[in-house]
Amino acid sequence: MIRICFRYGDSRWFARLVCLFRGGDSAHCEAAHRWVGDVYDCVSSSWMDGGVRGKLITMHHTTWRVYEVPGSPDDVRRWLVDHAGEKYDWLGLFGFVLPFRIPGFLRRWFCAESSADHMWLPRPVIWDLVLLESVCQHLCKQGIARRIQ
């Protein structure tokens, strides 16, 4: 199992812009492959960090919703090795305008897209934060996943 973590209620301008365009209250997500208490070893793509990266993050329940979902921690770590340093996918973030990949942007990722890939969802480019969290919630209802916080 892995954990998909959604940051909500972020007041920074870029987060507010993402929520405005994409809907929902989450502006970023992370895939965690290892955790101790509320410190998570995460993989994602971040505009602020310049693209794909691994990062230790403290997940406070007041700013993160966390779901434990099917996935392989080893696959998440391998994915990071394969994609580390790839750029942030601006066009993918605003995928409601262009819900496909443009040649030249094939090695770019945004956060929900990378998490969808970790969850083995088809066509990761089509998954935004709202849809991805709805999948996590549906998996919880089916007893396949569980909400942690």
Side-chain angles (χ1 to χ4, degrees), residues 7-135:
R7 183 177 174 85
Y8 65 93
D10 191 332
S11 62
R12 292 175 288 190
W13 71 269
F14 185 73
R16 290 193 316 260
L17 183 67
V18 170
C19 290
L20 175 70
F21 279 104
R22 297 305 307 186
D25 64 350
S26 294
H28 182 67
C29 68
E30 297 277 342
H33 57 90
R34 184 176 48 213
W35 48 89
V36 176
D38 62 353
V39 178
Y40 287 63
D41 197 350
C42 298
V43 173
S44 190
S45 184
S46 166
W47 166 71
M48 291 177 51
D49 295 328
V52 174
R53 49 78 180 133
K55 188 174 188 176
L56 289 175
I57 300 175
T58 301
M59 301 282 179
H60 296 289
H61 70 281
T62 57
T63 54
W64 291 90
R65 285 189 297 269
V66 179
Y67 300 87
E68 195 166 76
V69 300
S72 164
D74 290 336
D75 286 351
V76 173
R77 287 187 286 272
R78 275 192 295 274
W79 190 94
L80 177 59
V81 169
D82 291 344
H83 298 281
E86 292 177 357
K87 299 297 180 195
Y88 188 76
D89 186 2
W90 288 97
L91 292 177
L93 171 66
F94 297 106
F96 62 94
V97 176
L98 298 169
F100 55 85
R101 288 194 174 270
I102 295 174
F105 283 83
L106 296 177
R107 301 297 284 185
R108 294 175 181 250
W109 299 87
F110 68 99
C111 61
E113 183 179 21
S114 64
S115 290
D117 205 32
H118 301 312
M119 292 173 64
W120 307 313
L121 295 173
R123 294 187 55 222
V125 71
I126 68 170
W127 299 95
D128 68 14
L129 290 158
V130 174
L131 288 173
L132 188 64
E133 188 164 10
S134 70
V135 168

Side-chain angles (χ1 to χ4, degrees), residues 1 68-70 135-147:
M1 299 293 269
E68 195 166 76
V69 300
V135 168
C136 292
Q137 292 168 346
H138 179 74
L139 291 173
C140 288
K141 288 178 185 173
Q142 299 297 314
I144 298 168
R146 66 186 178 113
R147 173 108 182 249

